[in-house]
Amino acid sequence: MTAVAGAGSRAAPRGDPFVPRPFVVRRHRQDTRDTWTLVLEPADGATMPFAAGQFTMMQAFGAGEAPISISGDPARPEVLEHTIRNVGAVTRALVHAGPGTELGIRGPFGTGWEVSSGRGGDVVFVAGGIGLAPLRPAILEVCADRASYGRVLLLYGARTPEDILFGDDLRRWAADHAVDVQVTVDNGQHAWQGRVGLVTQLVDRGGFDAVNTLALVCGPEVMMRYAAMALRARGVAPARLRLSMERNMKCGVGLCGHCQLREYFLCVDGPVLTYDVLEPLMSRAEL
Ligand SMILES: Cc1cc2nc3c(=O)[nH]c(=O)nc-3n(C[C@H](O)[C@H](O)[C@H](O)COP(=O)(O)OP(=O)(O)OC[C@H]3O[C@@H](n4cnc5c(N)ncnc54)[C@H](O)[C@@H]3O)c2cc1C
């Protein structure tokens, strides 16, 4: 099997990976009309170290379990942050879990972004919608070690200005950490002074040394496909281009096969994979 991104930097669950650990919601913040961030602490006091890009299986008792990426700071494993969009039964129960609610967490699972492999060069983050949440830990990692990187760009596309996530972070990353934050929206009302258009158009504008760039992409699959093509056209090497893939996931440990993509189980071989692995899979329909 081809080497996958993140294989070297992943953290593993403590104990039995099928047994959820109790976590208590400490803070509950509404980010946009359909998205909330939960800050959780372990009820058993044991931290959950994780690598940027990994996910957990979050369980709302009585409603079910869903894979959700960790959106918090890898340097602060004492708290676990998740940013969740309310799309169905499980995510509805999770976003309505207020402070004091106990949730079950399994993980962390999957591969990480391995952003530190980009030290010495430029880093381009390309995010679409809630795809900014899985990238946030990697951006925080770069900001904490900013001098080790060249130019850092965050290209972010949201549906409307009201759907823009982490506004305070975006301002802080730009002001305090010299991150070139470029935001575009699909639909901007008259009050919106920023860009309107696809996030892939921001890739074409450049501002990075493609040959020496690590590019990390997360968003809806169609957006990732076109962003990857644009990054390739600019000269980013397929092995330096990483995407986080979403598929139906149940077990988290590569046993049940729900997330199989040809020979890969995305819960263990992914969700972060390099484009040299993904390109032949993404260009085939129905995989
Ligand atoms: C590795 C991984 C990481 C993820 N990280 C996050 C995260 O950080 N935050 C987050 O909010 N979600 C994330 N997801 C997606 C999340 O797991 C699903 O939205 C969730 O499982 C839906 O469960 P549900 O029971 O609420 O909705 P369901 O009843 O399963 O679905 C309700 C409706 O929403 C649609 N739907 C399901 N999933 C999605 C989706 N991803 N996007 C759009 N529509 C969808 C379904 O087709 C259906 O029409 C991640 C998924 C994976 C595989």
Side-chain angles (χ1 to χ4, degrees):
M1 188 176 288
T2 318
V4 292
S9 69
R10 68 177 70 187
R14 283 163 55 107
D16 187 335
F18 290 107
V19 177
R21 284 179 48 199
F23 275 71
V24 179
V25 179
R26 291 295 177 215
R27 276 185 288 138
H28 178 262
R29 181 188 75 221
Q30 181 162 11
D31 294 312
T32 68
R33 64 194 151 86
D34 61 3
T35 302
W36 280 256
T37 293
L38 304 185
V39 180
L40 302 120
E41 283 174 5
D44 58 11
T47 59
M48 185 182 277
F50 65 95
Q54 289 193 295
F55 68 95
T56 72
M57 295 299 299
M58 292 189 83
Q59 188 174 131
F61 298 117
E65 207 182 38
I68 303 290
S69 299
I70 303 169
S71 62
D73 188 345
R76 295 194 59 218
E78 64 278 11
V79 289
L80 192 59
E81 244 173 281
H82 286 94
T83 302
I84 305 158
R85 187 147 72 95
N86 177 2
V87 297
V90 177
T91 48
R92 186 180 318 120
L94 290 171
V95 303
H96 288 126
T101 309
E102 194 167 284
L103 301 174
I105 306 281
R106 295 193 295 121
F109 296 124
T111 51
W113 291 110
E114 269 192 18
V115 68
S116 60
S117 65
R119 282 193 189 121
D122 295 350
V123 183
V124 179
F125 299 96
V126 187
I130 189 132
L132 185 56
L135 283 170
R136 185 172 179 267
I139 299 168
L140 291 171
E141 213 174 302
V142 167
C143 289
D145 184 25
R146 184 63 187 87
S148 298
Y149 298 87
R151 278 167 289 188
V152 179
L153 276 76
L154 169 58
L155 313 179
Y156 176 37
R159 282 174 295 182
T160 71
E162 288 71 40
D163 292 307
I164 293 171
L165 282 175
F166 310 137
D168 291 344
D169 283 339
L170 298 178
R171 283 182 282 277
R172 201 181 60 248
W173 295 336
D176 299 348
H177 301 285
V179 177
D180 182 355
V181 176
Q182 301 182 32
V183 180
T184 184
V185 297
D186 297 338
N187 301 298
Q189 297 85 345
H190 47 271
W192 172 247
Q193 306 274 311
R195 289 192 191 85
V196 177
L198 299 175
V199 70
T200 45
Q201 290 162 347
L202 299 179
V203 174
D204 299 334
R205 294 163 60 95
F208 54 92
D209 171 17
V211 176
N212 199 18
T213 284
L214 177 69
L216 308 180
V217 184
C218 190
E221 200 157 314
V222 65
M223 166 258 158
M224 290 202 290
R225 179 175 299 148
Y226 284 102
M229 284 161 56
L231 288 157
R232 287 288 298 120
R234 292 264 311 141
V236 176
R240 308 266 299 160
L241 171 50
R242 297 176 192 156
L243 279 58
S244 184
M245 299 297 289
E246 269 194 26
R247 284 293 182 278
N248 188 4
M249 289 182 186
K250 293 287 179 213
C251 72
V253 293
L255 289 178
C256 74
H258 280 86
C259 64
Q260 188 166 5
L261 185 61
R262 216 174 58 188
E263 69 266 43
Y264 301 102
F265 287 146
L266 289 182
C267 67
V268 289
D269 298 320
V272 179
L273 289 157
T274 52
Y275 194 59
D276 46 0
V277 171
L278 283 171
E279 188 178 18
L281 305 177
M282 292 181 83
S283 55
R284 297 246 308 266
E286 306 295 326
L287 272 179

